Amino acid sequence: MIRAHAAPLVLLAVLVAITLWPVIIQPGGVLIGHAYGDMPDHFWGTWWFGNELLSGRFPLTTNVSHFPEALTLWYVDPIGALLALPAHPLGPAVAWNLLVAMQLFASTVAAYAIGFGATQDKAAGLVSAMVAGLSPYALGLVHSGLAECLTLTPVILFVPTALRALSMDPAGREPRPRDAVLAGLMLGAAGTGSSYYGIFGALFAGGTLLGPGWRARLRTMLKIVGIGTLVALPSAAM
């Protein structure tokens, strides 16, 4: 299956590399993001969160900030910090740059899969990938360094999965028993990455009740939102 889409995936990887140039050729020498935007805070937070975990401590307090009160500190992007964890031995700059590149590439792949799944056309999938994964919104997040909002992959996957679960798939595909669970997990992951994504995702799910047949969709919608809430709740409660 993946082999059949090798050419589009390679093209997307090349487009992401061009977008992030010249970081691709010197990943340890420069940082992706604007020095006076959100990037410095998120760069530090990603490294601090992972470093605390690797040191055997749960990342809730720090002795390098809010001194001497030692207030609770919860990093806003736990998903990104966990994704960057395997690259920790390569240093903070490489770990950060790999995280941003991986998130951007993953969002283009997710959008490609959605576009191709709806049309069975690779060109349409590529257009979908560029519209979603390389949109001005996504590139604005890359520029600012707003890491938690770069968790776009579950957002992109949530919408079509929820529509299919609710028997509203544009391609006419029948809902599968697992679709509501998958949509709930995607909503929860999106909400863990950014509370805004979780709130707007829940509003989107609620909006599917508008129009005829809403009673038939109500139970599935509540299941999706319920699972999403349970997944995102630990992060929201911190």
Side-chain angles (χ1 to χ4, degrees):
M1 179 64 178
I2 295 179
R3 187 174 298 178
H5 298 278
L9 293 178
V10 170
L11 178 58
L12 291 176
V14 170
L15 289 174
V16 169
I18 293 173
T19 301
L20 299 179
W21 197 272
V23 173
I24 297 300
I25 60 173
Q26 44 179 335
V30 292
L31 294 174
I32 300 173
H34 198 285
Y36 299 109
D38 296 288
M39 184 272 291
D41 288 340
H42 289 77
F43 168 67
W44 178 86
T46 297
W47 183 255
W48 168 79
F49 192 98
N51 196 55
E52 289 294 289
L53 290 177
L54 292 175
S55 299
R57 296 184 294 269
F58 194 73
L60 276 181
T61 58
T62 178
N63 58 4
V64 298
S65 177
H66 298 88
F67 183 83
E69 291 87 353
L71 300 175
T72 298
L73 176 63
W74 176 248
Y75 180 46
V76 72
D77 185 27
I79 290 181
L82 290 173
L83 290 174
L85 204 56
H88 239 64
L90 302 177
V94 175
W96 169 261
N97 291 332
L98 282 176
L99 170 64
V100 175
M102 178 173 54
Q103 288 178 314
L104 201 61
F105 178 66
S107 64
T108 62
V109 172
Y112 171 82
I114 298 308
F116 178 81
T119 64
Q120 297 301 302
D121 184 85
K122 292 180 181 178
L126 287 171
V127 171
S128 176
M130 289 185 282
V131 167
L134 296 176
S135 65
Y137 174 71
L139 297 183
L141 295 174
V142 172
H143 178 71
S144 71
L146 205 57
E148 76 271 19
C149 292
L150 270 173
T151 311
L152 291 170
T153 302
V155 179
I156 294 170
L157 294 175
F158 164 70
V159 173
T161 308
L163 289 178
R164 184 168 182 177
L166 293 159
S167 302
M168 301 176 70
D169 183 54
R173 294 170 294 185
E174 292 295 320
R176 301 163 297 183
R178 66 177 182 270
D179 285 329
V181 175
L182 290 174
L185 292 175
M186 290 299 106
L187 179 60
T192 301
S194 170
S195 58
Y196 293 110
Y197 290 160
I199 292 170
F200 289 129
L203 290 173
F204 173 86
T208 62
L209 298 181
L210 299 175
W214 66 270
R215 288 183 177 86
R217 299 190 292 272
L218 177 60
R219 184 174 179 179
T220 302
M221 188 277 292
L222 292 175
K223 182 177 181 181
I224 292 171
V225 174
I227 293 173
T229 301
L230 288 175
V231 172
L233 194 58
S235 178
M238 293 296 182

